[in-house]
Amino acid sequence: MRQSGWLRCLVSGIFLVMLAACNTSMLLPQHNPPPPAGTQVQAPIAPAPSPEVSQQLRTLDDKVRRLERRVAALEQCQRPPKAAPAPPAIARPAERAPRPAPPPPSGDKLYSEGMRFYRTKNYPAARDKFTQYLRSQPRGAKSAQALYYSGESFYQEKRYTEAKEEFNKLVVQHPGSILAPTALLRQAYAYQQLNQKAKYTETLKKLIQQYPHSPEAQEALKVLK
């Protein structure tokens, strides 16, 4: 780095200046006149440095070492910091696949649930199950029964208008069902509760005409006498 090189040059310059301040006779040779010819010249003996110079040299050496340590510390501070290791990736929990929708209940199950609600006199829940059954199987094996008990649930709640309509659906859609004569009789009773005497009598006569040998027709004959 430029700063460290500049400091090293400064240290070297200080060292040379202090050496020059010392006894120059120790650093530079003295110019003596040449000896006469034939005289044996002895090699000059370099004088030992004085204790003061030695102390100055040791002090300068200590300063140089301290400067070198400071330069090394500065170089260490100017080094780019090591990149911090990336945090470990957090594993995301696997997304759960949506659960498939449960299959719709079968027709027989809907009818069975409707009858269970009907027996416990939970008539709205029973009608709901019967309606679901009729939507899924309008001509199913239990469709006549579903219509009859749907009408009967209305009748038990004294909702006679809705009851007679359900009984009429059974007679129209399933005229050959064993429940058709009973539906006609219950329809006649619904008209009676609504004080619709003409409709009441008309329905009883219709029952006798269409199903003359049924027990319901025999009951209708007794009522009309």
Side-chain angles (χ1 to χ4, degrees):
M1 296 182 180
R2 295 181 178 179
Q3 187 174 4
S4 61
W6 177 81
L7 288 174
R8 293 181 184 277
C9 293
L10 177 62
V11 171
S12 301
I14 293 172
F15 182 75
L16 293 175
V17 169
M18 293 185 68
L19 286 178
C22 298
N23 189 4
T24 56
S25 61
M26 296 174 59
L27 300 177
L28 299 175
Q30 297 181 356
H31 295 280
N32 296 323
T39 305
Q40 187 176 0
V41 179
Q42 295 181 355
I45 300 173
S50 63
E52 182 180 358
V53 173
S54 298
Q55 181 63 33
Q56 290 177 352
L57 291 174
R58 284 194 296 270
T59 302
L60 181 61
D61 188 53
D62 291 339
K63 290 182 178 180
V64 170
R65 288 186 181 138
R66 285 197 295 270
L67 286 173
E68 288 178 350
R69 286 196 294 269
R70 290 185 61 186
V71 171
L74 288 173
E75 290 178 352
Q76 185 69 23
C77 293
Q78 292 177 357
R79 289 179 182 177
K82 294 183 179 180
I90 300 175
R92 294 183 177 179
E95 296 183 357
R96 295 182 179 179
R99 293 182 179 180
S106 62
D108 292 341
K109 185 177 180 181
L110 287 171
Y111 177 79
S112 299
E113 290 177 351
M115 287 303 301
R116 179 170 57 84
F117 286 125
Y118 179 82
R119 294 189 185 100
T120 58
K121 299 183 179 181
N122 189 350
Y123 299 125
R127 283 194 300 272
D128 182 64
K129 294 299 180 181
F130 293 143
T131 302
Q132 291 183 41
Y133 172 81
L134 292 170
R135 286 176 180 172
S136 63
Q137 300 184 31
R139 293 290 178 178
K142 302 288 185 179
S143 56
Q145 290 92 324
L147 283 170
Y148 177 81
Y149 285 107
S150 179
E152 193 65 30
S153 68
F154 280 123
Y155 195 93
Q156 296 299 325
E157 292 179 338
K158 300 181 179 182
R159 297 171 62 179
Y160 302 115
T161 301
E162 293 89 343
K164 68 180 180 61
E165 292 175 356
E166 292 297 299
F167 291 135
N168 188 64
K169 288 179 185 177
L170 191 158
V171 175
V172 173
Q173 296 178 13
H174 306 278
S177 171
I178 194 174
L179 291 173
T182 307
L184 269 175
L185 183 61
R186 300 299 282 176
Q187 185 181 9
Y189 289 159
Y191 282 124
Q192 185 184 28
Q193 296 294 331
L194 293 170
N195 292 321
Q196 298 180 11
K197 294 182 179 180
K199 289 288 185 180
Y200 167 67
T201 303
E202 181 184 346
T203 305
L204 288 176
K205 292 179 179 179
K206 182 179 179 180
L207 170 59
I208 296 169
Q209 181 182 2
Q210 291 187 0
Y211 306 98
H213 304 291
S214 65
E216 291 82 5
Q218 299 303 317
E219 184 175 350
L221 285 170
K222 293 178 183 179
V223 171
L224 289 175
K225 286 182 179 180

